[in-house]
Amino acid sequence: MIPRPYQRAAVAAARAKTAEHGNTLVALPVGAGKTAVAGFYINEEAAAQPDARFLVLQHTDELIEQNRTTIGRVAGLPASVVKAERDDWSGQIVFGSVQTLARANRRARMGQVSHLVIDECHRVAADSYQAIIAAARATNPGVKLLGLSATPERGDRRSLRKTFSNIAYHLPISALIAQGILVPPRTLTLDLGVADALDHLGTAGADFDMDAAAKVLNRAVLNEAVVEHWRDHAADRRTIVFCATVAHAEAVAAAFRDAGITAATVTGEMPGKERADLLARFDRGEVQVITNCMVLTEGFDSQPVGCIAILRPMLHRGTFIQAIGRGLRKVDPERFPGVIKTDCIVLDFAGAAQRHGSIEGDGTLPEEDEEEPGEPPYKICPSCDAEVPMGTVACPFCGHVWQRAFRDKTPLKRFQLTEIDLLDRSPFRWWDMHGDGQSMMASGFEAWAGVFFDGQHWHAVGKAKLGRLRHIDVGDRTQVLASADDFLRQAETSLAAGKSRLWLSHPATARQRELLARAGDSNPALDFGLSKYAANCRLNFLWNRAAITAAVLGERMGRAA
């Protein structure tokens, strides 16, 4: 597996900071592959220290299985699990449940660990995490701590400084959007006529007073207006609505149902099986709208979500980003045939975008040298002296906000440059088959991939050596190029990619020309400039042309039907 450039940079920065400070935090948004970053970090640390022993902490069984699968595949080290019904400390990597290890008797067999990796580390201020960290430090004062989070800013304002003194690497959502890894949000601020009342809400605990917010927002006439605005802007999209209270969420769902739209409410008290069944029905499209009261901000991802409706004020920027992040993942066309997703509409009825700034407005890439491995620039927070990356807007340790100077942005130019950047930085050579940019192929030793334009949308397809042809993505050109490139990164190694690029300087072999002629190529003998690499790409296309055509045109015909 080959890391993306920013993943390489994150690992390099994390290794440097844990060596210097003994601890660090990496902040990567949803969809960035932070679990893979943990795996690459563990792999490189184990290579440098063969007797290293790693404990990976996570707070749910789902995350244990997800992390074990991804990190295990990337790091390739023996692994084991410690949670309620299991107590296996034999692995070089141990995946541990926080709830289980918070109990002293379950930590008794932990022994010495050299590295502690903490997923969703914005939770680390809790006593359960602190007890585990203290136990690890008691047996090894030099244990290295790496924390990973999409939103390190804590809503309760409890400081993370007790555990982390710095942030090694931070990547904004806008960078992943610009690179085609996430779809962009399209934010619409809609006025329900209650902005003044929301502006004067008080706080309760670590957030706005949601009971007071519900009194302002939970009125039949406003709920009906929300449905009408939704019909105007997102009637064909699967939607998640964030509400102020459970009663508010249920009233909004009822307003959608009264308008003939399938809608349901998910709550924290809902039994697990019932909740899983509802979310599965939503995934299948049997339910179009789900309302909730901050249940679906973390750990929930449904690719077909094409609209996020914000119907509650949000005091903290991290909450706002988490909510929008539920709608930014791309769609796998094989799982969801006929679903095309090139953006996510954000309907903001409560002024959250105006308060925190639309992440769509920040759609610019970091400067080029920020994505390459090496020492990134840092600054010191004037309020708490934490060391954070230069581009940080809000300090996750104390909440200090840096004022940003206005910059003229040229998003179209930057998005165009991003695609060129992607092609230049890819470990694979993307070969333009006909010279018109409408169909491109790339090949490795273990897999090939291609991107093709059907007249409306771009499609990514690919095939591993021992696998079937896969329809990887459909959407905008940069989006599908990123997906196809990721498919090859999953299948190939850096060494194999480098070897395949060497074929660019070698002429096509006589055997390749013979195979091209058999496969129906017009006259490969006349193409004197044909390289060994281009011939390989062309052969993969010709051998799979029928399946590629079926995938691309089948998707389009499915949409038309």
Side-chain angles (χ1 to χ4, degrees), residues 303-322:
Q303 293 179 4
V305 172
C307 175
I308 300 294
I310 298 175
L311 201 49
R312 52 147 288 176
M314 292 179 172
L315 181 61
H316 304 293
R317 186 171 180 269
T319 305
F320 176 60
I321 292 174
Q322 283 177 334

Side-chain angles (χ1 to χ4, degrees), residues 148-162:
L148 301 111
S149 177
T151 52
E153 302 95 338
R154 287 183 61 92
D156 61 9
R157 297 295 185 185
R158 291 181 67 183
S159 176
L160 303 182
R161 289 298 302 278
K162 186 174 181 179

Side-chain angles (χ1 to χ4, degrees), residues 192-258:
L192 294 176
V194 294
D196 287 343
L198 292 177
D199 285 343
H200 291 88
L201 283 179
T203 58
D207 206 341
F208 285 119
D209 184 337
M210 287 300 143
D211 288 330
K215 288 179 181 177
V216 173
L217 289 163
N218 191 11
R219 289 183 266 171
V221 65
L222 297 186
N223 294 340
E224 291 168 4
V226 167
V227 174
E228 289 307 308
H229 281 300
W230 176 85
R231 274 183 158 157
D232 290 341
H233 300 289
D236 59 341
R237 298 183 181 228
R238 258 169 266 185
T239 301
I240 298 175
V241 185
F242 291 95
C243 300
T245 63
V246 172
H248 184 205
E250 290 171 340
V252 172
F256 274 99
R257 288 193 295 270
D258 289 345

Side-chain angles (χ1 to χ4, degrees), residues 452-454 457 459 461 471 547-557 559:
F452 306 93
F453 186 57
D454 72 0
H457 293 98
H459 299 256
V461 299
H471 192 191
I548 292 171
T549 302
V552 173
L553 296 185
E555 174 71 30
R556 186 170 66 182
M557 288 186 287
R559 295 198 307 274

Side-chain angles (χ1 to χ4, degrees), residues 477-557:
R477 178 181 159 108
T478 302
Q479 175 184 324
V480 300
L481 268 171
S483 296
D485 203 61
D486 272 351
F487 175 80
L488 289 173
R489 287 174 185 270
Q490 297 282 331
E492 299 285 351
T493 65
S494 297
L495 180 62
K499 286 183 177 179
S500 70
R501 285 183 74 108
L502 289 176
W503 289 1
L504 288 165
S505 57
H506 299 165
T509 66
R511 175 63 175 163
Q512 283 180 315
R513 293 179 183 277
E514 178 186 340
L515 290 172
L516 283 169
R518 287 184 188 176
D521 199 301
S522 54
N523 196 348
L526 297 179
D527 191 350
F528 297 108
L530 191 67
S531 70
K532 189 176 180 180
Y533 182 82
N536 189 44
C537 289
R538 188 179 291 182
L539 280 169
N540 281 325
F541 173 77
L542 292 170
W543 285 335
N544 295 276
R545 178 161 47 186
I548 292 171
T549 302
V552 173
L553 296 185
E555 174 71 30
R556 186 170 66 182
M557 288 186 287

Side-chain angles (χ1 to χ4, degrees), residues 1-3 7 33 35-40 42-43 65-79 93 95 486-493:
M1 185 174 176
I2 305 173
Q7 291 173 328
T35 309
V37 167
F40 290 125
I42 289 171
N43 183 56
E65 294 309 312
Q66 176 183 308
N67 290 346
R68 186 174 66 157
T69 299
T70 302
I71 293 175
R73 180 161 52 89
V74 173
L77 300 175
I93 309 175
F95 295 91
D486 272 351
F487 175 80
L488 289 173
R489 287 174 185 270
Q490 297 282 331
E492 299 285 351
T493 65

Side-chain angles (χ1 to χ4, degrees), residues 331-386:
V331 172
D332 180 346
E334 292 195 346
R335 283 186 60 198
F336 303 101
V339 177
I340 307 296
K341 180 177 171 182
T342 57
D343 62 18
C344 175
I345 292 176
V346 178
L347 303 179
D348 180 17
F349 296 97
Q354 290 179 319
R355 178 180 184 85
H356 300 292
S358 169
I359 61 172
E360 183 183 23
D362 273 341
T364 58
L365 281 173
E367 294 303 319
E368 183 171 342
D369 59 359
E370 288 182 15
E371 291 202 22
E372 293 300 328
E375 186 68 20
Y378 295 93
K379 62 186 176 185
I380 303 298
C381 174
S383 297
C384 70
D385 295 325

